[in-house]
Amino acid sequence: MDMSQISPADQAKVQLMQEMEIEMMSDLYNRMTNVCHKKCIPPRYSESELGKGEMVCIDRCVAKYLDIHEKIGKKLTAMSMQDEELMKKMSS
């Protein structure tokens, strides 16, 4: 999309949405990192490298976290679309 073809107000909305998305993804990454670290890595490190069990645990934890994030995103999108449809019907 060529940004020069949209109004300044719409450009500001797009920029705000992009900034919010970056902030949300950063928050997701930070929360996921903290949760999976606490769950999979003991507080006292015995080795400088991750062990096989720790790597498997982190891999599964991250996969589950991202899977749930995707499912929640889809559900919220569907609910938002239903709300929009309901608002259209009510205003008709």
Side-chain angles (χ1 to χ4, degrees):
M1 173 187 288
D2 186 8
M3 293 296 281
S4 65
Q5 295 179 350
I6 61 175
S7 71
D10 287 341
Q11 286 180 8
K13 287 179 186 177
V14 169
Q15 183 175 359
L16 179 62
M17 288 174 56
Q18 289 172 338
E19 289 171 0
M20 287 176 60
E21 187 170 353
I22 289 170
E23 187 176 323
M24 287 174 17
M25 290 306 293
S26 177
D27 181 58
L28 168 71
Y29 177 79
N30 288 330
R31 285 186 289 126
M32 179 180 64
T33 301
N34 289 332
V35 166
C36 292
H37 185 272
K38 284 180 185 175
K39 179 179 179 180
C40 298
I41 301 174
R44 292 198 171 156
Y45 301 134
S46 58
E47 299 176 20
S48 61
E49 305 268 333
L50 291 175
K52 184 169 179 72
E54 293 167 330
M55 287 189 281
V56 169
C57 180
I58 289 173
D59 190 40
R60 288 180 180 163
C61 181
V62 168
K64 286 179 184 179
Y65 212 94
L66 293 177
D67 182 50
I68 293 299
H69 181 263
E70 180 183 1
K71 287 178 181 178
I72 290 171
K74 286 179 180 178
K75 182 67 174 177
L76 289 174
T77 299
M79 290 171 62
S80 176
M81 291 174 69
Q82 288 176 347
D83 287 348
E84 285 180 27
E85 289 174 14
L86 181 61
M87 294 300 281
K88 286 179 185 177
K89 286 179 184 178
M90 291 175 65
S91 64
S92 300

